[in-house]
Amino acid sequence: MKMMTFFIVGLIVHVVFFLSIFDIYFTSPLVHGMTPQRVPLAPPAKRLVLFVADGLRADSLFKPDNNGTGRAPYLRTVIEERGTWGVSHTRVPTESRPGHVALLAGFYEDVSAVAKGWKENPVEFDSVFNESRHTWCWGSPDILPMFAKGATGDHVYTHTYPPEREDFASTDASRLDTWVFDEVKDYLNVAKSNEALLNKLHEEQNVFFLHLLGIDTNGHAHRPMSKEYLENIGLVDAGVAEIVTVMDDFYGHDGKTAYVFTSDHGMTNWGSHGAGHPSETLTPLIAWGAGVQTAQRDPGSHKYDDNYLKEWGLETYKRVDVNQADIAPLMSSLIGVPFPLNSVGVLPLNYLNNSQHFKAESMYANAIQILEQFRVKMAQKKTTTISFLFTPYQSLTDSKQMDFVRQARDLIQRGQFNEAIRYCEDLIAQAMEGLSYYHTYDRLFLGSSVVLGFIGWTSYVGLFILKTHASLRKPPSNTHMVTERNLGQVFLCIGLLVALFLLVQSSPWTYYIYCLLPVPVWYSVMREFETLSGLIRSIPSLPLSKCFGYFLLVAFGIELLVMSFFYRAMLTLGLVVLALWPMVSGLYTKAKFRSLSWMFSCLFLAVFPLLPVVGREPNVNYVICAGVLTLFNLSSYLCSSWRCSPLIRRDRQLFIFQMVQVVLCAYTLTSTHSSLQLKQGLPLFNQLVSWFTLVSSFLIPLLSSTRLFQRLLSILMSLVCVYLLLSTGYEALFPPMLSWLMFAWINIEQEAMTTQESSYRTELSSIDFAENIDITKIRQLRLDDIRRSYFFVFFIITAFFGCGNIASINSFDPASVYCFLTVFNPFIMGGLLMWKVLIPFIIVMCTFESIQVSTQLSSRSLFLVVLVISDLMALHFFFLVKDYGSWLDIGTSISHYVIVMSMTIFLMLLSVMTHILTSKRIIIGQKRKMHFR
């Protein structure tokens, strides 16, 4: 296989492996075609008012302040006298859209919908709004349109403020909530003089939704422990009290209004959310009004052992915790609308103040609604599986379903309501397990196919390297050609059988890709049986103890890389071990200064993984220190280079400009931070400087000399300038320290080459990467190059995880982008944060390419070894993924797998581009050589 073809095929294979994880673990749980289920008895409430305080933590609301008084006196009074309260447990990802989908539709966000848009409803699902007669919404333009566009008919009315108001630099973000309260009051006042609107408002099964974003905005901007965040809670409490009074007056105190107050997600102490920390997943739930159980004292029995009751001063009041999806059936039951069709929530009966008959009928409707989903899911899976291979969920076969339903209905008709409720709860539990069973029915089959393809691909790459660099290549014989032809026929038959099997089962087209991919991959492996036999024949001649030692070393290295994804401190261990490399290899005695530079840079960088995750303690003084350190590094590099190769005038001017730019960026960040603290907004000058720095960072390095050292230094300076603007604390020191280590790596690799063979020694300052390549100087792969490739992968992971955990959403601090914009824009903010993550990665990539050039090794050879290491890591993560039934449990390994596969795909793309450019330079060099001859 030609190298270019190899890289393109490898890229396609890795894209398939990357996408497979979403088909295996992140398929949509939604099914359609169910019959709506409603309670046949009259509901207790005619209307429902839902308050969602975005980003409100449970402890921030319930916990009294230092003076012992509640931060929300009205809601505290509701808990103590009028309603039922508890903690609503959310799920990962703790973001606004998944939280609202769980609240209003009763199921947890379809992960495949994340890539389909933020402001629109990306998948078809039913919700409480859709089932209501009319719904009026006030609040954020990022949340409300989702449910308006997802509703059938024209009965969901939204009122939103302009997106520009969602400004993290606002002098008072609580104005967002004030706007909502004022708009509701004005709307009801207008309705008094509008007969058509008044009639609509007095119909039954109406919903009023108030989305309150001020708390979330203040939490991001000032942190949840700030005065602004806590005062915003008091403002919301007063607003809720006022709306309740206005509603009661508007409806003549008819006692038919139910109220629910909750939050979509919480927030960490450092002002972020998205992961599974208790501060993010524990949200408040308070319900009162028509049909809701009044406050109950429960001083004796505490079934919760989290000590929150004592901390919140609510030990004597009954606490009723729920899952977030349970709120949707609760609201449906209160106003008598059908449960959302895709809801997996279980009605929390302790919140209802109604007859046992009503509770039993409600639980029966809830059970049938979930059972309907189970039936549809089972029917879908049955139609796409060969009948004799289909294995039904044994606890709920067709006959058992009929028995369950008939028995539950008989119990209700006989008036045995408590037994009927328990029976329905058992049915719901069985149906939920059955839904999970059919949802993951093909997971083992698909996972096995992908793993088979993965192992085959990794084996083929290993054989490819051995054949190319270990003298195992032999000319094909006639016997070899005949065997290869027979082998092709066998694998063709296997492929046809697999395709026929999938065709009979009416499998999706993606199944064909995952199941057929191992066939050509393993055919390519088996074609190399000559290489395999040569490898087997050479085993007796190898020193087994040495090979076993290498194997243990490689296994330890791979395991260290994998463990570093879970425990950042493992990176510290790895860097300490790497610091000892010059001592072990003997380089220290031959190049003491460069060895000491390597050792100290490794040890200094080893401190970062031991520090807290970025964003928890913002401190712009670190940014100033980082700017000074960057200027010191640049001056040192230039002084060391000046002795060997003086800079030309253009490079001198360029580096002076970049040094000024570093100072300007450090000033811009500190100035922006000061302005935001004084609530004066983002200065326009600072914003212009930030965007100019970002754009120019892609262009300025192109103006530098084509000498390797100068170009690498210019790229580094441009990237560090942008990174300074995106920093909030100690992470600003990371790129300068990483750059020091990278330059030390380049220099010490040159010393290593000198030790092995002096003819390969080339001064870094004299290398011009624009020159054409002399193919006669490109050497073959050696054992030391495997170490270089491992160093590269290790430094890539250090670049990703050195300052935080990029696999966790709450590691990203929105404050990092405040130099560029403060108005909420998820796509621009997300893009800037991703660029911040990629900057250390690019620094390592450029360094590795420099080492490849300076050591005169073919880039494709190094990338092949890197590919094997990355694939082994990805395969390790694939095996680590376990189906525990919750996104939080499997999400960590999956996110790590996605990171490794993304890195590998990026490397494959880079390999293709590098191979194209290198091939052109080799061809030009050969033509010139022939011309001179």
Side-chain angles (χ1 to χ4, degrees), residues 569-804:
M570 298 301 294
L571 294 174
T572 299
L573 174 63
L575 286 166
V576 170
V577 172
L578 292 187
L580 302 175
W581 168 57
M583 306 286 291
V584 175
S585 62
L587 286 173
Y588 179 76
T589 58
K590 299 172 183 177
K592 287 188 177 180
F593 178 77
R594 292 185 172 183
S595 297
L596 286 173
S597 178
W598 164 268
M599 293 167 69
F600 280 114
S601 58
C602 281
L603 293 176
F604 278 118
L605 198 67
V607 175
F608 286 90
L610 299 177
L611 298 175
V613 173
V614 167
R616 300 191 179 190
E617 295 295 336
N619 189 339
V620 295
N621 292 325
Y622 288 116
V623 181
I624 298 174
C625 295
V628 173
L629 182 60
T630 302
L631 295 177
F632 175 76
N633 283 346
L634 178 62
S635 303
S636 302
Y637 298 148
L638 291 177
C639 288
S640 63
S641 174
W642 187 275
R643 292 191 292 269
C644 303
S645 176
L647 295 175
I648 62 175
R649 181 180 179 184
R650 187 180 66 179
D651 281 344
R652 287 200 303 270
Q653 293 173 343
L654 184 66
F655 286 128
I656 290 172
F657 172 77
Q658 289 190 299
M659 292 174 76
V660 173
Q661 196 174 30
V662 170
V663 175
L664 182 61
C665 288
Y667 165 77
T668 299
L669 183 112
T670 55
S671 172
T672 301
H673 179 77
S674 176
S675 178
L676 295 179
Q677 278 195 326
L678 296 172
K679 298 186 178 179
Q680 295 175 352
L682 172 61
L684 179 61
F685 173 77
N686 293 10
Q687 191 174 22
L688 292 175
V689 168
S690 301
W691 284 107
F692 172 77
T693 303
L694 177 64
V695 175
S696 64
S697 66
F698 297 98
L699 304 176
I700 289 178
L702 301 178
L703 303 177
S704 64
S705 168
T706 55
R707 293 292 178 93
L708 186 64
F709 177 83
Q710 283 85 342
R711 178 58 63 89
L712 185 61
L713 196 55
S714 181
I715 292 172
L716 184 150
M717 292 295 292
S718 295
L719 293 174
V720 168
C721 285
V722 178
Y723 201 91
L724 289 177
L725 293 170
L726 291 168
S727 299
T728 60
Y730 77 84
E731 82 271 20
L733 296 165
F734 186 72
M737 296 302 303
L738 180 65
S739 303
W740 177 19
L741 177 58
M742 292 298 100
F743 274 102
W745 186 24
I746 294 173
N747 287 320
I748 204 166
E749 286 293 356
Q750 285 191 298
E751 293 296 338
M753 289 300 301
T754 305
T755 304
Q756 293 168 0
E757 195 168 345
S758 59
S759 62
Y760 288 128
R761 173 64 184 262
T762 308
E763 286 297 331
L764 186 63
S765 57
S766 64
I767 299 174
D768 191 335
F769 64 84
E771 292 180 353
N772 298 316
I773 297 174
D774 186 354
I775 194 170
T776 60
K777 293 183 178 180
I778 297 178
R779 61 181 179 82
Q780 287 293 313
L781 194 69
R782 290 202 294 253
L783 193 61
D784 210 35
D785 296 316
I786 299 176
R787 175 197 49 81
R788 291 186 179 95
S789 301
Y790 180 82
F791 278 13
F792 169 65
V793 176
F794 181 85
F795 289 139
I796 284 289
I797 295 171
T798 303
F800 273 137
F801 291 96
C803 294

Side-chain angles (χ1 to χ4, degrees), residues 890-901:
I890 66 173
T892 303
S893 293
I894 290 177
S895 58
H896 292 158
Y897 172 84
V898 169
I899 290 169
V900 175
M901 290 307 299

